[in-house]
PDB file of all heavy atoms in Angstrom:
ATOM      1  N   ALA Z 168      96.998 115.405  90.180  1.00 98.00           N
ATOM      2  CA  ALA Z 168      95.584 115.805  90.160  1.00 98.00           C
ATOM      3  C   ALA Z 168      94.741 114.817  90.958  1.00 98.00           C
ATOM      4  O   ALA Z 168      93.849 115.214  91.731  1.00 98.00           O
ATOM      5  CB  ALA Z 168      95.082 115.894  88.714  1.00 98.00           C
ATOM      6  N   LEU Z 169      95.026 113.529  90.800  1.00 98.00           N
ATOM      7  CA  LEU Z 169      94.318 112.510  91.588  1.00 98.00           C
ATOM      8  C   LEU Z 169      94.600 112.684  93.076  1.00 98.00           C
ATOM      9  O   LEU Z 169      93.707 112.511  93.919  1.00 98.00           O
ATOM     10  CB  LEU Z 169      94.741 111.109  91.126  1.00 98.00           C
ATOM     11  CG  LEU Z 169      94.296 110.701  89.716  1.00 98.00           C
ATOM     12  CD1 LEU Z 169      94.991 109.405  89.297  1.00 98.00           C
ATOM     13  CD2 LEU Z 169      92.778 110.537  89.640  1.00 98.00           C
ATOM     14  N   TRP Z 170      95.838 113.057  93.404  1.00 98.00           N
ATOM     15  CA  TRP Z 170      96.218 113.311  94.797  1.00 98.00           C
ATOM     16  C   TRP Z 170      95.389 114.465  95.369  1.00 98.00           C
ATOM     17  O   TRP Z 170      94.858 114.375  96.469  1.00 98.00           O
ATOM     18  CB  TRP Z 170      97.707 113.626  94.856  1.00 98.00           C
ATOM     19  CG  TRP Z 170      98.263 113.841  96.229  1.00 98.00           C
ATOM     20  CD1 TRP Z 170      98.836 112.911  97.053  1.00 98.00           C
ATOM     21  CD2 TRP Z 170      98.296 115.081  96.964  1.00 98.00           C
ATOM     22  NE1 TRP Z 170      99.228 113.477  98.241  1.00 98.00           N
ATOM     23  CE2 TRP Z 170      98.912 114.814  98.215  1.00 98.00           C
ATOM     24  CE3 TRP Z 170      97.878 116.376  96.692  1.00 98.00           C
ATOM     25  CZ2 TRP Z 170      99.117 115.804  99.176  1.00 98.00           C
ATOM     26  CZ3 TRP Z 170      98.073 117.367  97.646  1.00 98.00           C
ATOM     27  CH2 TRP Z 170      98.684 117.079  98.877  1.00 98.00           C
ATOM     28  N   HIS Z 171      95.282 115.542  94.605  1.00 97.00           N
ATOM     29  CA  HIS Z 171      94.546 116.721  95.078  1.00 97.00           C
ATOM     30  C   HIS Z 171      93.079 116.395  95.354  1.00 97.00           C
ATOM     31  O   HIS Z 171      92.498 116.923  96.311  1.00 97.00           O
ATOM     32  CB  HIS Z 171      94.634 117.848  94.048  1.00 97.00           C
ATOM     33  CG  HIS Z 171      95.888 118.655  94.138  1.00 97.00           C
ATOM     34  ND1 HIS Z 171      96.193 119.468  95.211  1.00 97.00           N
ATOM     35  CD2 HIS Z 171      96.934 118.776  93.274  1.00 97.00           C
ATOM     36  CE1 HIS Z 171      97.352 120.059  95.016  1.00 97.00           C
ATOM     37  NE2 HIS Z 171      97.828 119.655  93.849  1.00 97.00           N
ATOM     38  N   LEU Z 172      92.493 115.542  94.525  1.00 98.00           N
ATOM     39  CA  LEU Z 172      91.070 115.214  94.690  1.00 98.00           C
ATOM     40  C   LEU Z 172      90.854 113.952  95.532  1.00 98.00           C
ATOM     41  O   LEU Z 172      89.739 113.438  95.616  1.00 98.00           O
ATOM     42  CB  LEU Z 172      90.407 115.064  93.320  1.00 98.00           C
ATOM     43  CG  LEU Z 172      90.330 116.353  92.479  1.00 98.00           C
ATOM     44  CD1 LEU Z 172      89.467 116.131  91.245  1.00 98.00           C
ATOM     45  CD2 LEU Z 172      89.788 117.521  93.289  1.00 98.00           C
ATOM     46  N   GLN Z 173      91.947 113.463  96.149  1.00 97.00           N
ATOM     47  CA  GLN Z 173      91.865 112.340  97.091  1.00 97.00           C
ATOM     48  C   GLN Z 173      91.286 111.079  96.448  1.00 97.00           C
ATOM     49  O   GLN Z 173      90.561 110.317  97.092  1.00 97.00           O
ATOM     50  CB  GLN Z 173      91.013 112.734  98.313  1.00 97.00           C
ATOM     51  CG  GLN Z 173      91.466 114.016  99.003  1.00 97.00           C
ATOM     52  CD  GLN Z 173      92.674 113.812  99.890  1.00 97.00           C
ATOM     53  OE1 GLN Z 173      92.593 113.145 100.913  1.00 97.00           O
ATOM     54  NE2 GLN Z 173      93.803 114.380  99.502  1.00 97.00           N
ATOM     55  N   LYS Z 174      91.616 110.848  95.180  1.00 98.00           N
ATOM     56  CA  LYS Z 174      91.113 109.673  94.469  1.00 98.00           C
ATOM     57  C   LYS Z 174      92.104 108.524  94.642  1.00 98.00           C
ATOM     58  O   LYS Z 174      92.896 108.218  93.751  1.00 98.00           O
ATOM     59  CB  LYS Z 174      90.868 110.014  92.991  1.00 98.00           C
ATOM     60  CG  LYS Z 174      89.711 111.001  92.790  1.00 98.00           C
ATOM     61  CD  LYS Z 174      89.395 111.203  91.323  1.00 98.00           C
ATOM     62  CE  LYS Z 174      88.179 112.093  91.139  1.00 98.00           C
ATOM     63  NZ  LYS Z 174      86.921 111.457  91.583  1.00 98.00           N
ATOM     64  N   GLU Z 175      92.018 107.909  95.804  1.00 97.00           N
ATOM     65  CA  GLU Z 175      93.017 106.930  96.208  1.00 97.00           C
ATOM     66  C   GLU Z 175      93.021 105.684  95.318  1.00 97.00           C
ATOM     67  O   GLU Z 175      94.088 105.201  94.923  1.00 97.00           O
ATOM     68  CB  GLU Z 175      92.776 106.524  97.672  1.00 97.00           C
ATOM     69  CG  GLU Z 175      93.869 105.656  98.248  1.00 97.00           C
ATOM     70  CD  GLU Z 175      93.687 105.432  99.740  1.00 97.00           C
ATOM     71  OE1 GLU Z 175      93.187 106.346 100.430  1.00 97.00           O
ATOM     72  OE2 GLU Z 175      94.058 104.337 100.211  1.00 97.00           O
ATOM     73  N   VAL Z 176      91.846 105.163  94.975  1.00 98.00           N
ATOM     74  CA  VAL Z 176      91.778 103.946  94.164  1.00 98.00           C
ATOM     75  C   VAL Z 176      92.339 104.192  92.765  1.00 98.00           C
ATOM     76  O   VAL Z 176      93.157 103.413  92.258  1.00 98.00           O
ATOM     77  CB  VAL Z 176      90.324 103.424  94.082  1.00 98.00           C
ATOM     78  CG1 VAL Z 176      90.238 102.245  93.109  1.00 98.00           C
ATOM     79  CG2 VAL Z 176      89.830 103.005  95.456  1.00 98.00           C
ATOM     80  N   ALA Z 177      91.920 105.293  92.150  1.00 98.00           N
ATOM     81  CA  ALA Z 177      92.406 105.614  90.797  1.00 98.00           C
ATOM     82  C   ALA Z 177      93.906 105.848  90.799  1.00 98.00           C
ATOM     83  O   ALA Z 177      94.611 105.429  89.867  1.00 98.00           O
ATOM     84  CB  ALA Z 177      91.675 106.844  90.258  1.00 98.00           C
ATOM     85  N   LEU Z 178      94.409 106.503  91.839  1.00 98.00           N
ATOM     86  CA  LEU Z 178      95.846 106.782  91.919  1.00 98.00           C
ATOM     87  C   LEU Z 178      96.636 105.491  92.127  1.00 98.00           C
ATOM     88  O   LEU Z 178      97.691 105.287  91.510  1.00 98.00           O
ATOM     89  CB  LEU Z 178      96.113 107.770  93.055  1.00 98.00           C
ATOM     90  CG  LEU Z 178      97.574 108.189  93.277  1.00 98.00           C
ATOM     91  CD1 LEU Z 178      98.241 108.648  91.991  1.00 98.00           C
ATOM     92  CD2 LEU Z 178      97.633 109.301  94.326  1.00 98.00           C
ATOM     93  N   SER Z 179      96.125 104.618  92.959  1.00 97.00           N
ATOM     94  CA  SER Z 179      96.784 103.332  93.179  1.00 97.00           C
ATOM     95  C   SER Z 179      96.815 102.505  91.892  1.00 97.00           C
ATOM     96  O   SER Z 179      97.832 101.874  91.559  1.00 97.00           O
ATOM     97  CB  SER Z 179      96.062 102.557  94.284  1.00 97.00           C
ATOM     98  OG  SER Z 179      96.654 101.296  94.483  1.00 97.00           O
ATOM     99  N   THR Z 180      95.711 102.526  91.155  1.00 97.00           N
ATOM    100  CA  THR Z 180      95.640 101.799  89.879  1.00 97.00           C
ATOM    101  C   THR Z 180      96.637 102.358  88.879  1.00 97.00           C
ATOM    102  O   THR Z 180      97.353 101.603  88.202  1.00 97.00           O
ATOM    103  CB  THR Z 180      94.218 101.889  89.294  1.00 97.00           C
ATOM    104  OG1 THR Z 180      93.296 101.313  90.220  1.00 97.00           O
ATOM    105  CG2 THR Z 180      94.130 101.154  87.965  1.00 97.00           C
ATOM    106  N   LEU Z 181      96.707 103.686  88.780  1.00 98.00           N
ATOM    107  CA  LEU Z 181      97.652 104.317  87.860  1.00 98.00           C
ATOM    108  C   LEU Z 181      99.084 103.949  88.216  1.00 98.00           C
ATOM    109  O   LEU Z 181      99.876 103.572  87.336  1.00 98.00           O
ATOM    110  CB  LEU Z 181      97.483 105.837  87.904  1.00 98.00           C
ATOM    111  CG  LEU Z 181      98.498 106.639  87.078  1.00 98.00           C
ATOM    112  CD1 LEU Z 181      98.329 106.368  85.590  1.00 98.00           C
ATOM    113  CD2 LEU Z 181      98.369 108.132  87.371  1.00 98.00           C
ATOM    114  N   ALA Z 182      99.429 104.037  89.496  1.00 97.00           N
ATOM    115  CA  ALA Z 182     100.790 103.722  89.930  1.00 97.00           C
ATOM    116  C   ALA Z 182     101.151 102.274  89.591  1.00 97.00           C
ATOM    117  O   ALA Z 182     102.259 101.992  89.116  1.00 97.00           O
ATOM    118  CB  ALA Z 182     100.926 103.968  91.430  1.00 97.00           C
ATOM    119  N   GLN Z 183     100.209 101.358  89.798  1.00 97.00           N
ATOM    120  CA  GLN Z 183     100.466  99.950  89.506  1.00 97.00           C
ATOM    121  C   GLN Z 183     100.644  99.723  88.006  1.00 97.00           C
ATOM    122  O   GLN Z 183     101.558  99.003  87.573  1.00 97.00           O
ATOM    123  CB  GLN Z 183      99.321  99.087  90.033  1.00 97.00           C
ATOM    124  CG  GLN Z 183      99.556  97.590  89.894  1.00 97.00           C
ATOM    125  CD  GLN Z 183     100.789  97.122  90.637  1.00 97.00           C
ATOM    126  OE1 GLN Z 183     100.908  97.332  91.831  1.00 97.00           O
ATOM    127  NE2 GLN Z 183     101.718  96.486  89.921  1.00 97.00           N
ATOM    128  N   GLU Z 184      99.790 100.341  87.206  1.00 97.00           N
ATOM    129  CA  GLU Z 184      99.878 100.174  85.754  1.00 97.00           C
ATOM    130  C   GLU Z 184     101.195 100.738  85.206  1.00 97.00           C
ATOM    131  O   GLU Z 184     101.838 100.125  84.349  1.00 97.00           O
ATOM    132  CB  GLU Z 184      98.691 100.855  85.072  1.00 97.00           C
ATOM    133  CG  GLU Z 184      97.374 100.126  85.283  1.00 97.00           C
ATOM    134  CD  GLU Z 184      96.195 100.883  84.689  1.00 97.00           C
ATOM    135  OE1 GLU Z 184      96.381 102.039  84.253  1.00 97.00           O
ATOM    136  OE2 GLU Z 184      95.074 100.316  84.656  1.00 97.00           O
ATOM    137  N   LEU Z 185     101.602 101.886  85.700  1.00 97.00           N
ATOM    138  CA  LEU Z 185     102.863 102.479  85.239  1.00 97.00           C
ATOM    139  C   LEU Z 185     104.054 101.642  85.688  1.00 97.00           C
ATOM    140  O   LEU Z 185     105.028 101.482  84.944  1.00 97.00           O
ATOM    141  CB  LEU Z 185     102.994 103.915  85.752  1.00 97.00           C
ATOM    142  CG  LEU Z 185     101.984 104.931  85.207  1.00 97.00           C
ATOM    143  CD1 LEU Z 185     102.254 106.308  85.796  1.00 97.00           C
ATOM    144  CD2 LEU Z 185     102.031 104.999  83.685  1.00 97.00           C
ATOM    145  N   THR Z 186     103.980 101.098  86.903  1.00 96.00           N
ATOM    146  CA  THR Z 186     105.058 100.246  87.409  1.00 96.00           C
ATOM    147  C   THR Z 186     105.190  98.979  86.560  1.00 96.00           C
ATOM    148  O   THR Z 186     106.303  98.543  86.232  1.00 96.00           O
ATOM    149  CB  THR Z 186     104.805  99.852  88.883  1.00 96.00           C
ATOM    150  OG1 THR Z 186     104.713 101.046  89.673  1.00 96.00           O
ATOM    151  CG2 THR Z 186     105.931  98.990  89.421  1.00 96.00           C
ATOM    152  N   ASP Z 187     104.061  98.409  86.168  1.00 96.00           N
ATOM    153  CA  ASP Z 187     104.082  97.212  85.316  1.00 96.00           C
ATOM    154  C   ASP Z 187     104.662  97.520  83.942  1.00 96.00           C
ATOM    155  O   ASP Z 187     105.284  96.650  83.320  1.00 96.00           O
ATOM    156  CB  ASP Z 187     102.665  96.659  85.155  1.00 96.00           C
ATOM    157  CG  ASP Z 187     102.124  96.053  86.448  1.00 96.00           C
ATOM    158  OD1 ASP Z 187     102.944  95.747  87.346  1.00 96.00           O
ATOM    159  OD2 ASP Z 187     100.899  95.902  86.554  1.00 96.00           O
ATOM    160  N   PHE Z 188     104.470  98.770  83.486  1.00 95.00           N
ATOM    161  CA  PHE Z 188     104.895  99.124  82.133  1.00 95.00           C
ATOM    162  C   PHE Z 188     106.355  99.555  82.062  1.00 95.00           C
ATOM    163  O   PHE Z 188     107.106  99.122  81.182  1.00 95.00           O
ATOM    164  CB  PHE Z 188     104.004 100.233  81.575  1.00 95.00           C
ATOM    165  CG  PHE Z 188     104.459 100.756  80.239  1.00 95.00           C
ATOM    166  CD1 PHE Z 188     104.496  99.920  79.122  1.00 95.00           C
ATOM    167  CD2 PHE Z 188     104.871 102.067  80.099  1.00 95.00           C
ATOM    168  CE1 PHE Z 188     104.938 100.395  77.895  1.00 95.00           C
ATOM    169  CE2 PHE Z 188     105.311 102.552  78.871  1.00 95.00           C
ATOM    170  CZ  PHE Z 188     105.338 101.717  77.768  1.00 95.00           C
ATOM    171  N   ASP Z 189     106.791 100.434  82.969  1.00 95.00           N
ATOM    172  CA  ASP Z 189     108.152 100.972  82.870  1.00 95.00           C
ATOM    173  C   ASP Z 189     108.637 101.444  84.234  1.00 95.00           C
ATOM    174  O   ASP Z 189     108.224 102.493  84.720  1.00 95.00           O
ATOM    175  CB  ASP Z 189     108.175 102.141  81.879  1.00 95.00           C
ATOM    176  CG  ASP Z 189     109.597 102.628  81.587  1.00 95.00           C
ATOM    177  OD1 ASP Z 189     110.545 102.133  82.228  1.00 95.00           O
ATOM    178  OD2 ASP Z 189     109.759 103.505  80.722  1.00 95.00           O
ATOM    179  N   ILE Z 190     109.532 100.684  84.846  1.00 94.00           N
ATOM    180  CA  ILE Z 190     110.059 101.061  86.160  1.00 94.00           C
ATOM    181  C   ILE Z 190     111.291 101.962  86.040  1.00 94.00           C
ATOM    182  O   ILE Z 190     111.892 102.336  87.050  1.00 94.00           O
ATOM    183  CB  ILE Z 190     110.417  99.814  87.003  1.00 94.00           C
ATOM    184  CG1 ILE Z 190     111.485  98.968  86.303  1.00 94.00           C
ATOM    185  CG2 ILE Z 190     109.182  98.994  87.317  1.00 94.00           C
ATOM    186  CD1 ILE Z 190     112.043  97.860  87.184  1.00 94.00           C
ATOM    187  N   LYS Z 191     111.654 102.317  84.815  1.00 95.00           N
ATOM    188  CA  LYS Z 191     112.795 103.218  84.625  1.00 95.00           C
ATOM    189  C   LYS Z 191     112.341 104.628  84.248  1.00 95.00           C
ATOM    190  O   LYS Z 191     113.131 105.444  83.790  1.00 95.00           O
ATOM    191  CB  LYS Z 191     113.737 102.659  83.552  1.00 95.00           C
ATOM    192  CG  LYS Z 191     114.398 101.341  83.954  1.00 95.00           C
ATOM    193  CD  LYS Z 191     115.363 100.856  82.887  1.00 95.00           C
ATOM    194  CE  LYS Z 191     116.037  99.551  83.315  1.00 95.00           C
ATOM    195  NZ  LYS Z 191     116.972  99.051  82.270  1.00 95.00           N
ATOM    196  N   SER Z 192     111.072 104.893  84.454  1.00 97.00           N
ATOM    197  CA  SER Z 192     110.513 106.198  84.124  1.00 97.00           C
ATOM    198  C   SER Z 192     110.289 107.010  85.394  1.00 97.00           C
ATOM    199  O   SER Z 192     109.705 106.496  86.361  1.00 97.00           O
ATOM    200  CB  SER Z 192     109.179 106.017  83.383  1.00 97.00           C
ATOM    201  OG  SER Z 192     108.427 107.200  83.424  1.00 97.00           O
ATOM    202  N   PRO Z 193     110.710 108.275  85.427  1.00 98.00           N
ATOM    203  CA  PRO Z 193     110.457 109.095  86.623  1.00 98.00           C
ATOM    204  C   PRO Z 193     108.971 109.322  86.867  1.00 98.00           C
ATOM    205  O   PRO Z 193     108.539 109.449  88.011  1.00 98.00           O
ATOM    206  CB  PRO Z 193     111.183 110.411  86.303  1.00 98.00           C
ATOM    207  CG  PRO Z 193     111.296 110.453  84.812  1.00 98.00           C
ATOM    208  CD  PRO Z 193     111.451 109.028  84.392  1.00 98.00           C
ATOM    209  N   GLN Z 194     108.169 109.332  85.772  1.00 98.00           N
ATOM    210  CA  GLN Z 194     106.725 109.505  85.946  1.00 98.00           C
ATOM    211  C   GLN Z 194     106.133 108.359  86.761  1.00 98.00           C
ATOM    212  O   GLN Z 194     105.213 108.567  87.566  1.00 98.00           O
ATOM    213  CB  GLN Z 194     106.025 109.584  84.582  1.00 98.00           C
ATOM    214  CG  GLN Z 194     106.296 110.870  83.813  1.00 98.00           C
ATOM    215  CD  GLN Z 194     107.466 110.751  82.859  1.00 98.00           C
ATOM    216  OE1 GLN Z 194     108.314 109.879  83.025  1.00 98.00           O
ATOM    217  NE2 GLN Z 194     107.519 111.611  81.857  1.00 98.00           N
ATOM    218  N   THR Z 195     106.657 107.148  86.550  1.00 98.00           N
ATOM    219  CA  THR Z 195     106.183 105.979  87.299  1.00 98.00           C
ATOM    220  C   THR Z 195     106.399 106.160  88.791  1.00 98.00           C
ATOM    221  O   THR Z 195     105.489 105.953  89.607  1.00 98.00           O
ATOM    222  CB  THR Z 195     106.916 104.711  86.817  1.00 98.00           C
ATOM    223  OG1 THR Z 195     106.546 104.441  85.460  1.00 98.00           O
ATOM    224  CG2 THR Z 195     106.576 103.509  87.679  1.00 98.00           C
ATOM    225  N   TRP Z 196     107.606 106.582  89.155  1.00 98.00           N
ATOM    226  CA  TRP Z 196     107.934 106.712  90.562  1.00 98.00           C
ATOM    227  C   TRP Z 196     107.261 107.926  91.202  1.00 98.00           C
ATOM    228  O   TRP Z 196     106.965 107.915  92.402  1.00 98.00           O
ATOM    229  CB  TRP Z 196     109.446 106.750  90.739  1.00 98.00           C
ATOM    230  CG  TRP Z 196     110.080 105.469  90.276  1.00 98.00           C
ATOM    231  CD1 TRP Z 196     110.840 105.279  89.154  1.00 98.00           C
ATOM    232  CD2 TRP Z 196     109.969 104.188  90.895  1.00 98.00           C
ATOM    233  NE1 TRP Z 196     111.210 103.960  89.037  1.00 98.00           N
ATOM    234  CE2 TRP Z 196     110.690 103.269  90.091  1.00 98.00           C
ATOM    235  CE3 TRP Z 196     109.341 103.724  92.046  1.00 98.00           C
ATOM    236  CZ2 TRP Z 196     110.790 101.917  90.417  1.00 98.00           C
ATOM    237  CZ3 TRP Z 196     109.444 102.381  92.368  1.00 98.00           C
ATOM    238  CH2 TRP Z 196     110.163 101.503  91.555  1.00 98.00           C
ATOM    239  N   CYS Z 197     107.019 108.958  90.400  1.00 98.00           N
ATOM    240  CA  CYS Z 197     106.243 110.097  90.914  1.00 98.00           C
ATOM    241  C   CYS Z 197     104.815 109.667  91.263  1.00 98.00           C
ATOM    242  O   CYS Z 197     104.277 110.058  92.310  1.00 98.00           O
ATOM    243  CB  CYS Z 197     106.197 111.226  89.877  1.00 98.00           C
ATOM    244  SG  CYS Z 197     107.720 112.193  89.745  1.00 98.00           S
ATOM    245  N   ALA Z 198     104.217 108.866  90.382  1.00 98.00           N
ATOM    246  CA  ALA Z 198     102.863 108.369  90.647  1.00 98.00           C
ATOM    247  C   ALA Z 198     102.843 107.500  91.903  1.00 98.00           C
ATOM    248  O   ALA Z 198     101.940 107.622  92.748  1.00 98.00           O
ATOM    249  CB  ALA Z 198     102.341 107.585  89.446  1.00 98.00           C
ATOM    250  N   ALA Z 199     103.848 106.636  92.040  1.00 98.00           N
ATOM    251  CA  ALA Z 199     103.921 105.781  93.231  1.00 98.00           C
ATOM    252  C   ALA Z 199     104.125 106.626  94.482  1.00 98.00           C
ATOM    253  O   ALA Z 199     103.504 106.377  95.528  1.00 98.00           O
ATOM    254  CB  ALA Z 199     105.050 104.772  93.077  1.00 98.00           C
ATOM    255  N   GLY Z 200     104.983 107.640  94.388  1.00 98.00           N
ATOM    256  CA  GLY Z 200     105.212 108.524  95.521  1.00 98.00           C
ATOM    257  C   GLY Z 200     103.950 109.268  95.919  1.00 98.00           C
ATOM    258  O   GLY Z 200     103.623 109.377  97.111  1.00 98.00           O
ATOM    259  N   ASN Z 201     103.226 109.772  94.927  1.00 98.00           N
ATOM    260  CA  ASN Z 201     101.962 110.460  95.217  1.00 98.00           C
ATOM    261  C   ASN Z 201     100.954 109.518  95.863  1.00 98.00           C
ATOM    262  O   ASN Z 201     100.173 109.919  96.736  1.00 98.00           O
ATOM    263  CB  ASN Z 201     101.377 111.045  93.924  1.00 98.00           C
ATOM    264  CG  ASN Z 201     101.937 112.415  93.602  1.00 98.00           C
ATOM    265  OD1 ASN Z 201     102.342 113.157  94.485  1.00 98.00           O
ATOM    266  ND2 ASN Z 201     101.965 112.762  92.323  1.00 98.00           N
ATOM    267  N   CYS Z 202     100.970 108.277  95.425  1.00 98.00           N
ATOM    268  CA  CYS Z 202     100.045 107.274  95.958  1.00 98.00           C
ATOM    269  C   CYS Z 202     100.276 107.077  97.460  1.00 98.00           C
ATOM    270  O   CYS Z 202      99.331 107.115  98.258  1.00 98.00           O
ATOM    271  CB  CYS Z 202     100.225 105.958  95.207  1.00 98.00           C
ATOM    272  SG  CYS Z 202      99.091 104.653  95.732  1.00 98.00           S
ATOM    273  N   PHE Z 203     101.527 106.899  97.855  1.00 98.00           N
ATOM    274  CA  PHE Z 203     101.823 106.703  99.278  1.00 98.00           C
ATOM    275  C   PHE Z 203     101.658 107.994 100.074  1.00 98.00           C
ATOM    276  O   PHE Z 203     101.298 107.962 101.248  1.00 98.00           O
ATOM    277  CB  PHE Z 203     103.225 106.118  99.449  1.00 98.00           C
ATOM    278  CG  PHE Z 203     103.286 104.653  99.151  1.00 98.00           C
ATOM    279  CD1 PHE Z 203     103.758 104.191  97.934  1.00 98.00           C
ATOM    280  CD2 PHE Z 203     102.839 103.722 100.082  1.00 98.00           C
ATOM    281  CE1 PHE Z 203     103.795 102.831  97.643  1.00 98.00           C
ATOM    282  CE2 PHE Z 203     102.863 102.360  99.805  1.00 98.00           C
ATOM    283  CZ  PHE Z 203     103.346 101.913  98.590  1.00 98.00           C
ATOM    284  N   SER Z 204     101.905 109.124  99.427  1.00 98.00           N
ATOM    285  CA  SER Z 204     101.685 110.405 100.091  1.00 98.00           C
ATOM    286  C   SER Z 204     100.212 110.575 100.456  1.00 98.00           C
ATOM    287  O   SER Z 204      99.881 111.025 101.554  1.00 98.00           O
ATOM    288  CB  SER Z 204     102.135 111.559  99.185  1.00 98.00           C
ATOM    289  OG  SER Z 204     101.834 112.815  99.762  1.00 98.00           O
ATOM    290  N   LEU Z 205      99.341 110.203  99.522  1.00 98.00           N
ATOM    291  CA  LEU Z 205      97.901 110.314  99.774  1.00 98.00           C
ATOM    292  C   LEU Z 205      97.481 109.419 100.937  1.00 98.00           C
ATOM    293  O   LEU Z 205      96.566 109.755 101.693  1.00 98.00           O
ATOM    294  CB  LEU Z 205      97.128 109.954  98.503  1.00 98.00           C
ATOM    295  CG  LEU Z 205      95.606 110.065  98.566  1.00 98.00           C
ATOM    296  CD1 LEU Z 205      95.169 111.467  98.996  1.00 98.00           C
ATOM    297  CD2 LEU Z 205      94.989 109.716  97.217  1.00 98.00           C
ATOM    298  N   GLN Z 206      98.168 108.298 101.109  1.00 97.00           N
ATOM    299  CA  GLN Z 206      97.875 107.374 102.204  1.00 97.00           C
ATOM    300  C   GLN Z 206      98.578 107.772 103.506  1.00 97.00           C
ATOM    301  O   GLN Z 206      98.557 107.035 104.490  1.00 97.00           O
ATOM    302  CB  GLN Z 206      98.294 105.957 101.804  1.00 97.00           C
ATOM    303  CG  GLN Z 206      97.509 105.407 100.622  1.00 97.00           C
ATOM    304  CD  GLN Z 206      98.115 104.127 100.048  1.00 97.00           C
ATOM    305  OE1 GLN Z 206      99.017 103.542 100.635  1.00 97.00           O
ATOM    306  NE2 GLN Z 206      97.614 103.705  98.896  1.00 97.00           N
TER     307      GLN Z 206
END
């Protein structure tokens, strides 16, 4: 949803927070992937 609305800062923050919390979660890597896709 953040990707669709081009909310780059919020998406980057979410990806970083999820990465800090759990790097073994597919949701974490999806968020990171969406973050770089938006960029």
Side-chain angles (χ1 to χ4, degrees):
L169 292 170
W170 183 92
H171 277 293
L172 294 189
Q173 307 282 292
K174 292 186 175 291
E175 188 172 327
V176 174
L178 181 50
S179 178
T180 300
L181 175 66
Q183 185 60 56
E184 288 175 352
L185 294 181
T186 301
D187 290 342
F188 174 63
D189 188 354
I190 60 170
K191 295 182 179 179
S192 162
Q194 289 93 339
T195 294
W196 297 108
C197 284
N201 274 333
C202 182
F203 283 100
S204 175
L205 182 56
Q206 296 168 10

